[in-house]
Amino acid sequence: MKRTWLTHNLRVVSAISLLQDAASELMYPLLPIFLTVTLGAPAAVVGAVEGIAEGAAALTKILAGRLSDRYPRRRLMGLGYALAALGKVVVAVATSWPVVLAGRSVDRLGKGIRGAPRDALLVVDIPADARGRAFGFHRAMDTAGAVVGPLLALAGYELLGHRLRPLLLIAVVPGVASAL
């Protein structure tokens, strides 16, 4: 019997990526407004928050590949998604920009941790000649999340009377769902 490339594992991991990316792309386009208007942070803080958070993700990725080869990949991936969800919760309830920095950094640490084990899990039980298709499917699902998130943000922004805090709390829902 010929094995299919669209395995249960691939579908689940791809759906998780779609949810997490939707949550991220719903929340993070709003952050500059949230930081400067709602929290009163100077504009320079926006760049500092993003730079520090992305730096945390980059440094974590260096270690994540090695950890992925030594520890259970599902647990590492779960930890990464859980940290990302926790970071989104922290951002959503933040009352000052340093708290947003902490939340954003935790979120990106999660991104750095989950990448390598997720990629290794994507190809479990997939024939070598179908791995490109599998990664393409995953990337398409992830990109779909990147489209859905901003659309939800725009619709929610209008429906919620331009209030950011409730919209940030809504962004937590797909993030937590992806971790679960």
Side-chain angles (χ1 to χ4, degrees):
M1 180 159 90
K2 185 177 178 185
R3 292 187 310 174
T4 179
W5 64 272
L6 191 56
T7 63
H8 174 75
N9 188 60
L10 174 60
R11 289 190 309 268
V12 169
V13 172
S14 297
I16 290 168
S17 291
L18 181 144
L19 287 170
Q20 188 61 238
D21 217 45
S24 293
E25 296 301 331
L26 194 162
M27 181 176 274
Y28 294 123
L30 303 172
L31 278 185
I33 300 167
F34 182 66
L35 283 165
T36 57
V37 176
T38 304
L39 300 180
V45 166
V46 175
V49 165
E50 284 304 304
I52 292 167
E54 290 302 328
L59 291 173
T60 307
K61 286 178 184 181
I62 294 170
L63 300 172
R66 173 164 265 183
L67 290 174
S68 179
D69 291 336
R70 295 180 181 198
Y71 297 100
R73 290 183 178 128
R74 287 186 198 280
R75 286 188 180 166
L76 281 174
M77 189 179 83
L79 173 64
Y81 282 109
L83 285 172
L86 175 63
K88 286 173 180 58
V89 170
V90 170
V91 169
V93 300
T95 56
S96 65
W97 71 261
V99 177
V100 172
L101 171 62
R104 182 78 170 114
S105 295
V106 168
D107 175 15
R108 296 295 87 182
L109 286 171
K111 179 182 174 83
I113 289 171
R114 73 178 180 249
R118 182 203 57 222
D119 290 349
L121 286 172
L122 281 174
V123 296
V124 169
D125 296 330
I126 295 177
D129 64 341
R131 288 185 180 157
R133 237 175 301 154
F135 277 102
F137 177 80
H138 174 263
R139 192 78 234 141
M141 293 289 281
D142 190 71
T143 301
V147 171
V148 168
L151 290 175
L152 289 174
L154 183 59
Y157 188 70
E158 292 301 321
L159 290 171
L160 296 170
H162 301 185
R163 292 179 305 142
L164 293 178
R165 178 102 41 207
L167 193 52
L168 293 175
L169 291 169
I170 290 169
V172 167
V173 173
V176 170
S178 73
L180 295 175

